Amino acid sequence: TESKHRRCGGDLKTKSTELGSAVTGSPLTAVLPASTTGKKSIVLSSETRKELAKQARVAKEERKAQIDERHKYLVSRLADGIGLSEQQVEEAIISDDKFQLIEQFFAPSGLKKLLFFYQDVFQQKSNASLRSDGSTNSLLQKKLFITMGSTEDFTGTCAFFLRTSDKVITASNVSQEVNFGIFDCTKGNILQGLEFFLSQIMIPALKSQQNWGAVKEGLKNSQIQDFLYSVDKFVGTLSSSRQNIEDKIQLTKVDVDIYVSNLQNPSDYITAG
């Protein structure tokens, strides 16, 4: 009976190993003992890492093959605005898992905006082992990436493209149908970035604009003048609010013992109040 149990146990162990190999296509990866926090650190096998790297290379080559004059226009604007080379920008774009958002932006009646963040992010060292619990060696590095603007904290520079119509974006109309801008919030200072963007970029552009569509007489029109006055007033309020926050009240430590030691009876407390 004992030998039978040992034999069954060995068979189960062998089958388990075979099943794991069949699922992963490689020998089972080691599962380390649970830590005191209850997490398990699973080191990916070298075969799995190689397969992931291969898939990434294939995806990059497919995206690179899709690059046309429309993409090159975006790359050129990003390189000029952020201060990177066009090669660096293109490499960042084709390496991005959200690359498909660019195609959705170009499509007829597609996305109205396309956002790129350029800021410090934790990036894995190239020689670090990949772990399921994220316990790899990492360091802060500047990175350019595509975003919807709703999942990542904004702490650096935002470069944005805005569509002016629902037309399909083509190589011949991309420069007319797409507007580009930069919103700099270095170190997460959003109020200062917004103030600079409005006061140094948007207001001068608006005040130099002659064509206001259906509105006649452009800058001479009372409605346009009221609008520009409101924008100026808003920037002034924004600047005042930012300065109030930055120059916030500083509390000074007070030696309370000096005052408390002089309070002897109830009337002293009433007088002090």
Side-chain angles (χ1 to χ4, degrees), residues 8-33:
C8 289
D11 292 342
L12 287 174
K13 182 177 181 181
T14 302
K15 290 179 180 179
S16 176
T17 303
E18 292 173 351
L19 178 60
S21 299
V23 172
T24 62
S26 62
L28 286 178
T29 56
V31 180
L32 302 180

Side-chain angles (χ1 to χ4, degrees), residues 40-55:
K40 292 183 178 179
S41 297
I42 304 177
V43 182
L44 298 180
S45 67
S46 59
E47 289 83 358
T48 303
R49 291 200 301 273
K50 290 178 181 178
E51 180 61 27
L52 291 174
K54 179 181 177 182
Q55 292 175 6

Side-chain angles (χ1 to χ4, degrees), residues 2 18 27 56 65 75 77 96 119 125 141 147 182 184 188 227 233:
E2 183 178 354
E18 292 173 351
V75 168
R77 298 286 76 76
D96 201 305
Q119 61 192 28
K125 291 183 180 179
Q141 287 184 339
T147 177
I182 292 285
D184 187 6
F227 168 70
K233 187 176 180 180

Side-chain angles (χ1 to χ4, degrees), residues 111-138:
L111 294 175
K112 299 300 182 184
K113 64 182 180 182
L114 183 62
L115 304 180
F116 292 81
F117 282 179
Y118 180 59
Q119 61 192 28
D120 287 328
V121 296
F122 281 105
Q123 297 194 62
Q124 197 174 76
K125 291 183 180 179
S126 58
N127 61 347
S129 298
L130 299 174
R131 295 177 182 270
S132 64
D133 67 345
S135 60
T136 57
N137 293 326
S138 58

Side-chain angles (χ1 to χ4, degrees), residues 7 39 121 127 143 147 167 207 249 262:
R7 189 163 56 251
K39 291 184 178 180
V121 296
N127 61 347
K143 181 181 180 182
T147 177
K167 298 179 182 178
K207 289 183 176 180
I249 298 173
N262 294 326

